[in-house]
């Protein structure tokens, strides 16, 4: 596990991920049938064990019936796209009315490691539209089947994630489909911005839930990153809420796909891509190219970047799934558990005191983690939690 201070921090906050934009997205989500805020668990026994004040886990395994946070971005982006297409106000968006008013079916295309594509397929299904979802090689059968169960076409490629994105874009352009992708490129920034703004709903919920628990603010937030869309959107919102200088923010990635970490330690703070198979169990984070919208937020406002082994995520899955004392059980998938895994790995590390000091952790620290997914690959979840796959010690 490598921990690097951000060489390019300046605390400059983004105008894209403000409290105002987050409330606009949350107002949309509250109108979706079945909406309710996901739990914010307080793991007090774990906090005492590792020597901090509070560990709070925003548990996105309970987001609708999708077991992950990703629909927040995909559904909001599709709604904004349709509002633009049919000259509607997002504040008046109505799933049922629009479903009946769309003259002919549209097709939404995306590439995904699983959860984002499922969110896009879910939103398209809700609106009676078509979705075509591309997945990289090695995609778990469970994730493929979950997407197909929503009526979407799902195509598993023989490429890594970033090349699969390029294939999805090319095919969509050839067929006049609408691309709903959570990363950006030249000429394609509006939809990924909407996706990232959709993600801020969970951060806004967490802030309200902290107030209900009489917690003024977190001192730390650990955010996992693939392309950096979730991390950028959530960090942008939290910095607008509390100020970048009052939040110790740590961005965590798998060492086989650590494009944000490498960008953060680069000499000029430019985006650095990672090539190859991106072979990590954290499939939701197996991305080698930073999101150009998310990266400036992470570059300007993150305190530290972390590159870690798969065993850290596996440790997090076991720790959250087998709680201490009266702590609630949290079922967390590989990408969702890496923040908790990092805390546990630091606790068991022979250089624990030095690492705690480097991360600014002490008995007064209030740490916010986001469990971005549950057991979206149940077979692998049991292999890790029951059978001890990817041992840590």
């Amino acid at each position: 596990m490598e921990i690097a201070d951000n060489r390019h921090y300046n605390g400059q906050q983004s105008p894209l991920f403000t409290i105002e934009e987050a409330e606009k997205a949350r107002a949309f989500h509250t109108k979706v049938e079945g909406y309710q805020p996901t739990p914010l668990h307080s793991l007090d026994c774990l906090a005492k064990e590792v020597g901090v004040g509070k560990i709070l886990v925003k548990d996105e395994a309970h987001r609708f019936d999708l077991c992950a946070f990703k629909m927040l971005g995909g559904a909001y982006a599709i709604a904004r796209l349709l509002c633009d297409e049919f000259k509607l106000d997002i504040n008046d968006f109505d799933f049922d009315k629009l479903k009946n008013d769309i003259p002919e079916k549209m097709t939404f295309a995306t590439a995904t490691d699983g959860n984002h594509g499922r969110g896009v397929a879910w939103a398209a299904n809700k609106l009676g539209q078509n979705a075509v979802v591309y997945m990289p090689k090695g995609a778990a059968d469970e994730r493929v089947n979950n997407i197909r169960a929503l009526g979407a076409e799902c195509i598993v490629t023989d490429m890594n994630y970033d090349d699969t994105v390029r294939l999805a874009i090319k095919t969509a352009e050839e067929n006049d489909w609408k691309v709903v992708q959570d990363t950006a490129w030249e000429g394609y920034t509006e939809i990924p911005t909407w996706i990232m703004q959709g993600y801020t709903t969970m951060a806004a919920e967490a802030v309200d839930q902290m107030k209900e628990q009489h917690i003024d603010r977190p001192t730390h937030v650990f955010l996992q990153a693939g392309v950096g869309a979730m991390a950028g959107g959530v960090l942008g919102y939290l910095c607008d809420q509390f100020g970048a200088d009052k939040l110790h923010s740590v961005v965590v990635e798998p060492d086989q796909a650590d494009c944000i970490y490498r960008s953060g330690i680069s000499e000029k703070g430019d985006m650095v891509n990672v090539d190859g198979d991106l072979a990590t169990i954290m499939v939701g984070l197996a991305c080698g190219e930073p999101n150009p919208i998310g990266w400036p937020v992470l570059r300007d406002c993150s305190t530290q970047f972390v590159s870690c082994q798969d065993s850290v995520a596996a440790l997090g899955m076991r720790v959250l799934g087998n709680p201490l004392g009266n702590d609630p059980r949290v079922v967390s998938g590989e990408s969702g558990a890496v923040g908790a895994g990092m805390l546990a790995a630091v606790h068991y590390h022979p250089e624990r005191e030095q690492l705690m000091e480097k991360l600014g952790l002490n008995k007064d620290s209030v740490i916010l983690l986001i469990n971005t997914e549950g057991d979206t690959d149940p077979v692998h979840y049991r292999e890790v939690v029951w059978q001890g796959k990817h041992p840590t010690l």
Side-chain angles (χ1 to χ4, degrees):
M1 183 168 62
E2 301 290 336
I3 303 173
D5 293 335
N6 181 5
R7 300 173 58 180
H8 311 288
Y9 172 92
N10 60 31
Q12 184 174 335
Q13 292 161 218
S14 170
L16 297 175
F17 309 110
T18 60
I19 296 169
E20 181 181 2
E21 288 295 340
E23 289 308 318
K24 193 184 300 183
R26 180 155 61 158
F28 163 78
H29 289 128
T30 59
K31 291 187 288 188
V32 179
E33 183 182 359
Y35 168 82
Q36 59 181 3
T38 53
L40 182 71
H41 303 300
S42 184
L43 305 185
D44 296 338
C45 295
L46 180 62
K48 183 177 180 181
E49 174 73 14
V50 302
V52 298
K54 279 276 185 186
I55 296 174
L56 304 170
V57 180
K58 181 67 170 162
D59 191 359
E60 291 296 302
H62 298 277
R63 184 65 66 185
F64 292 94
D65 58 351
L66 299 176
C67 205
F69 79 103
K70 285 281 190 172
M71 67 72 53
L72 293 173
Y76 186 59
I78 287 175
R80 292 291 301 260
L81 191 158
L82 291 170
C83 284
D84 272 13
E85 188 85 8
F86 298 103
K87 304 298 184 283
L88 302 171
D89 185 338
I90 187 65
N91 297 310
D92 300 325
F93 190 91
D94 184 293
F95 272 90
D96 292 330
K97 184 176 185 302
L98 193 60
K99 183 176 181 178
N100 295 326
D101 289 350
I102 295 175
E104 57 184 79
K105 284 190 174 185
M106 299 172 66
T107 297
F108 302 105
T110 193
T112 184
D113 287 310
N115 296 333
H116 170 68
R118 191 177 181 186
V120 169
W122 179 88
N125 180 271
K126 281 275 188 183
L127 288 161
Q129 306 304 297
N130 299 322
V132 180
V133 179
Y134 291 84
M135 299 188 72
K137 62 183 177 182
D141 290 343
E142 183 81 12
R143 293 187 170 107
V144 173
N145 293 336
N146 284 335
I147 290 168
R148 289 176 176 162
L150 291 165
E153 182 179 358
C154 186
I155 300 161
V156 180
T157 73
D158 60 356
M159 308 170 185
N160 69 17
Y161 172 81
D162 298 297
D163 288 335
T164 300
V165 170
R166 283 184 268 275
L167 176 64
I169 296 163
K170 179 176 179 291
T171 310
E173 289 174 348
E174 292 170 351
N175 290 278
D176 198 28
W177 299 337
K178 297 289 186 182
V179 177
V180 184
Q181 199 59 49
D182 60 352
T183 193
W185 53 88
E186 187 175 351
Y188 185 80
T189 58
E190 193 169 47
I191 289 173
T193 298
W194 290 333
I195 289 173
M196 292 173 66
Q197 289 170 341
Y199 295 159
T200 62
T201 287
M202 59 185 171
E205 290 175 357
V207 168
D208 286 350
Q209 290 166 320
M210 281 186 272
K211 290 176 182 174
E212 292 169 3
Q213 296 182 29
H214 307 291
I215 299 167
D216 291 335
R217 63 179 182 87
T219 61
H220 292 68
V221 60
F222 289 8
L223 296 167
Q224 54 271 53
V227 296
M230 184 281 289
V234 168
L235 182 58
Y237 169 81
L238 292 175
C239 288
D240 194 47
Q241 181 74 239
F242 301 114
D245 59 333
K246 295 182 173 61
L247 188 66
H248 190 120
S249 51
V250 182
V251 180
V252 190
E253 291 173 285
D255 60 2
Q256 297 300 303
D258 55 358
C259 57
I260 302 295
Y261 173 87
R262 296 193 197 192
S263 301
I265 63 173
S266 66
E267 185 176 346
K268 296 181 180 179
D270 296 330
M271 293 188 297
V272 176
N273 294 343
V274 176
D275 298 323
D277 287 342
L278 312 176
T280 170
I281 65 169
M282 294 172 263
V283 294
L285 311 181
C287 310
E289 300 178 13
N291 180 329
I293 301 170
W295 169 239
V297 181
L298 302 178
R299 177 197 63 208
D300 295 345
C301 296
S302 298
T303 309
Q304 288 165 319
F305 301 106
V306 174
S307 174
C308 69
Q309 300 87 350
D310 283 350
S311 57
V312 174
L315 175 60
M317 293 167 68
R318 289 189 278 267
V319 167
L320 292 172
N322 299 274
L324 290 169
N326 295 322
D327 284 355
R329 178 175 179 247
V330 179
V331 175
S332 181
E334 302 84 353
S335 300
V338 68
M342 183 184 157
L343 273 177
V346 167
H347 177 64
Y348 288 115
H349 200 280
E351 297 177 4
R352 175 185 179 276
E353 297 303 323
Q354 296 95 310
L355 291 173
M356 290 283 284
E357 183 177 354
K358 186 174 183 64
L359 291 164
L361 295 172
N362 56 47
K363 62 181 179 57
D364 298 317
S365 298
V366 177
I367 305 163
L368 175 62
L369 309 174
I370 299 182
N371 175 30
T372 48
E373 63 173 2
D375 55 345
T376 53
D377 182 354
V379 172
H380 190 256
Y381 180 84
R382 285 192 293 273
E383 288 174 349
V384 172
V385 176
W386 287 14
Q387 299 171 30
K389 192 174 183 181
H390 306 288
T392 310
L393 301 176

